[in-house]
């Protein structure tokens, strides 16, 4: 994808970062250190607004790239995390403290996005201003994952350890038969990574034969996993897992050395591209190594509660449907459940409409229908 020349835009900016990397770089990871201007609160869906803020920065300077990121049918060529740091639960919200530093990770796994980032970091805004939420001053921006290319990942030479450890810092899940699949089965893991590799590397591998090899030869030596349900993305909830796994290869894997080489290359790709789906909304954050207790990201109770409430309401609304089969009925019920659950947490209809990219009047109508269904006698739900 060709990237047009980026237009500069006058605005208040942070101090220069002096971050540079080679022009041929195809992936890089950044970490921004942020501090609220005062004690403030975020709702459980704040990652949606971080996502929107990031895409708006792209739109302001590179509309063509923005359109591709928003509408493109390929794999997403970037990830963003939620905020790491001392996030406190305060009733229905998350509290951020003015004297605390919070970390926000952004990665790019395609050359067009890397090139845009290289220009953006030279003219960073002074703060992240989230709609209806906090103003977070940008204190610093550093490289978190080294600039590299897909060929360098593939050709990387080292004394390979017999096993490789991966940690999943935020809820991670896959789509399987139109449902969430919250287990790091090797085929699912490497299918996730290979899709990104084939989309962006210009070094594609045949998917079916490689995944058959993975199914036969990749072993899980140990794991420490926990399932968690969170509200994620623009609507609905996700059942995912956090924790760590240790992977190794069976003896017969060596019969196909090019697959062994790809196996290690994809594991090196994992921290850049994330694992599973909704990685542009903070899910699937992946790191090398075995997760230590002190490194774990807290899963704020308010996000878990929102997910549980959405699921509860979805089931109630499904019981009022004359036709409960098919994906369409569940999607409608889940949308209504998301709107009502977020209203119960005090969010405005306008904020919800903007996040869901739906007309305000449609969201208002869905909210009314949801309340009406909730008030219906139990006999009408069977």
């Amino acid at each position: 994808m060709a990237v047009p020349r980026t237009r500069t835009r006058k605005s208040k900016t942070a101090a220069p970062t002096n971050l540079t990397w080679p022009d041929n770089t195809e992936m890089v990871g950044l970490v921004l250190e942020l501090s609220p201007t005062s004690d403030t609160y975020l709702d459980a869906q704040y990652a949606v607004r971080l996502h929107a803020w990031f895409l708006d920065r792209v739109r302001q300077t590179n509309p063509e790239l923005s359109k591709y990121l928003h509408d493109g049918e390929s794999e997403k060529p970037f990830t963003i995390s939620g905020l790491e740091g001392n996030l406190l639960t305060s009733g229905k919200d998350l509290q951020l403290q003015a004297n605390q530093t919070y970390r926000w990770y952004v990665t790019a796994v395609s050359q067009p996005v890397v090139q845009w980032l290289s220009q953006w970091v030279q003219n960073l805004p002074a703060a992240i201003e989230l709609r209806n939420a906090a103003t977070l001053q940008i204190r610093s921006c550093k490289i978190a994952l080294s600039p590299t290319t897909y060929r360098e990942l593939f050709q990387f030479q080292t004394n390979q350890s017999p096993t490789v450890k991966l940690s999943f810092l935020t809820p991670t899940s896959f789509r399987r038969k139109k449902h969430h699949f919250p287990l790091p089965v090797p085929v699912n893991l490497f299918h996730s990574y290979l899709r990104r590799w084939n989309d962006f590397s210009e070094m594609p591998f045949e998917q079916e034969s490689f995944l058959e090899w993975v199914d036969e030869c990749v072993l899980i030596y140990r794991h420490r996993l926990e399932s968690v349900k969170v509200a994620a993305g623009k609507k609905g909830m996700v059942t995912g897992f956090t924790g760590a796994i240790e992977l190794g290869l069976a003896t017969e894997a060596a019969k196909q050395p090019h697959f062994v080489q790809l196996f290690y290359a994809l594991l090196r790709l994992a921290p850049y591209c994330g694992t599973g789906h909704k990685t542009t909304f903070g899910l699937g954050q992946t790191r090398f190594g075995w997760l230590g207790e002190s490194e774990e990201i807290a899963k704020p109770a308010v996000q878990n509660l929102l997910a549980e409430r959405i699921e509860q309401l979805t089931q109630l609304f499904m019981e009022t449907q004359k036709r409960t089969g098919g994906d369409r009925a569940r999607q409608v019920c889940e949308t209504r459940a998301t709107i009502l659950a977020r209203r119960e947490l005090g969010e405005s209809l306008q904020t919800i409409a903007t996040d869901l990219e739906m007309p305000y009047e449609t969201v208002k109508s869905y909210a009314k229908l949801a309340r009406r269904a909730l008030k219906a006698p139990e006999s009408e739900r069977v």
Side-chain angles (χ1 to χ4, degrees), residues 76 98 102 145 148 156 183 203 253 274 336:
K76 295 300 182 184
Y102 300 88
L145 296 170
T148 189
F156 184 78
L183 286 173
M203 298 172 57
R336 292 178 181 176

Side-chain angles (χ1 to χ4, degrees), residues 105-136:
Y105 292 85
V106 177
T107 71
V109 291
S110 75
Q111 199 167 41
V113 182
V114 170
Q115 291 175 345
W116 179 83
L117 281 176
S118 71
Q119 299 172 52
W120 183 63
V121 296
Q122 302 308 319
N123 193 38
L124 281 173
I128 296 175
E129 296 182 1
L130 299 180
R131 185 178 66 251
N132 297 331
T135 296
L136 305 173

Side-chain angles (χ1 to χ4, degrees), residues 65-345:
L65 179 59
S66 173
K67 186 176 187 302
Y68 169 71
L69 295 181
H70 194 275
D71 302 329
E73 296 182 359
S74 71
E75 297 296 323
K76 295 300 182 184
F78 72 99
T79 76
I80 67 170
S81 73
L83 297 179
E84 289 188 16
N86 189 24
L87 289 170
L88 305 176
T89 298
S90 178
K92 61 187 180 183
D93 295 317
L94 305 172
Q95 183 180 4
L96 277 64
Q97 297 175 306
N99 61 344
Q100 295 289 323
T101 297
Y102 300 88
R103 296 173 302 281
W104 183 47
Y105 292 85
V106 177
T107 71
V109 291
S110 75
Q111 199 167 41
V113 182
V114 170
Q115 291 175 345
W116 179 83
L117 281 176
S118 71
Q119 299 172 52
W120 183 63
V121 296
Q122 302 308 319
N123 193 38
L124 281 173
I128 296 175
E129 296 182 1
L130 299 180
R131 185 178 66 251
N132 297 331
T135 296
L136 305 173
Q137 293 182 328
I138 299 177
R139 299 297 188 186
S140 70
C141 180
K142 303 174 183 177
I143 291 177
L145 296 170
S146 300
T148 189
T149 68
Y150 286 90
R151 189 166 298 278
E152 287 171 347
L153 287 189
F154 190 72
Q155 296 176 343
F156 184 78
Q157 297 294 323
T158 186
N159 295 323
Q160 303 287 8
S161 169
T163 64
V164 179
K165 305 176 185 69
L166 282 183
S167 292
F168 307 96
L169 277 68
T170 58
T172 303
S173 187
F174 308 96
R175 294 295 291 176
R176 181 174 180 268
K177 297 182 179 179
K178 300 181 181 180
H179 297 284
H180 301 302
F181 186 75
L183 286 173
V185 174
V187 168
N188 294 83
L189 286 174
F190 286 92
H191 184 212
S192 172
Y193 304 144
L194 185 62
R195 291 200 318 269
R196 275 83 160 185
W197 181 280
N198 283 349
D199 232 16
F200 304 122
S201 73
E202 298 184 357
M203 298 172 57
F205 282 80
E206 204 282 318
Q207 177 176 288
E208 185 175 351
S209 58
F210 175 70
L211 293 181
E212 287 178 356
W213 176 87
V214 167
D215 194 38
E216 293 291 332
C217 299
V218 178
L219 309 175
I220 296 178
Y221 279 81
R222 63 173 174 146
H223 63 80
R224 190 192 70 198
L225 301 172
E226 178 184 354
S227 63
V228 59
K229 188 165 293 185
V230 293
K234 294 180 179 179
K235 60 182 178 179
M237 65 283 177
V238 171
T239 301
F241 61 88
T242 58
I245 61 171
E246 184 174 5
L247 299 172
L249 293 175
T251 304
E252 58 267 27
K255 295 177 182 178
Q256 299 192 65
H258 60 300
F259 282 168
V260 173
Q261 194 170 358
L262 180 60
F263 166 80
Y264 286 108
L266 292 179
L267 289 173
R268 286 189 286 271
L269 173 65
Y272 292 90
C273 70
T275 303
H277 67 148
K278 294 186 182 290
T279 54
T280 59
F281 291 96
L283 298 192
Q285 289 283 301
T286 307
R287 300 288 186 271
F288 281 122
W290 191 265
L291 190 68
E293 292 292 337
S294 62
E295 299 172 289
E296 289 194 45
I297 296 178
K299 298 176 283 294
V302 65
Q303 292 173 301
N304 298 344
L305 290 174
L306 176 59
E308 291 171 2
R309 182 56 173 161
I310 291 172
E311 182 177 41
Q312 180 187 42
L313 290 172
T314 299
Q315 294 302 320
L316 287 173
F317 297 157
M318 286 291 291
E319 292 172 2
T320 70
Q321 296 289 305
K322 294 181 180 179
R323 296 181 180 179
T324 57
D327 293 330
R328 174 62 180 167
R330 181 165 186 87
Q331 288 174 2
V332 170
C333 290
E334 192 171 83
T335 299
R336 292 178 181 176
T338 299
I339 292 169
L340 184 56
R342 291 180 63 174
R343 283 293 290 146
E344 290 175 346
L345 285 177

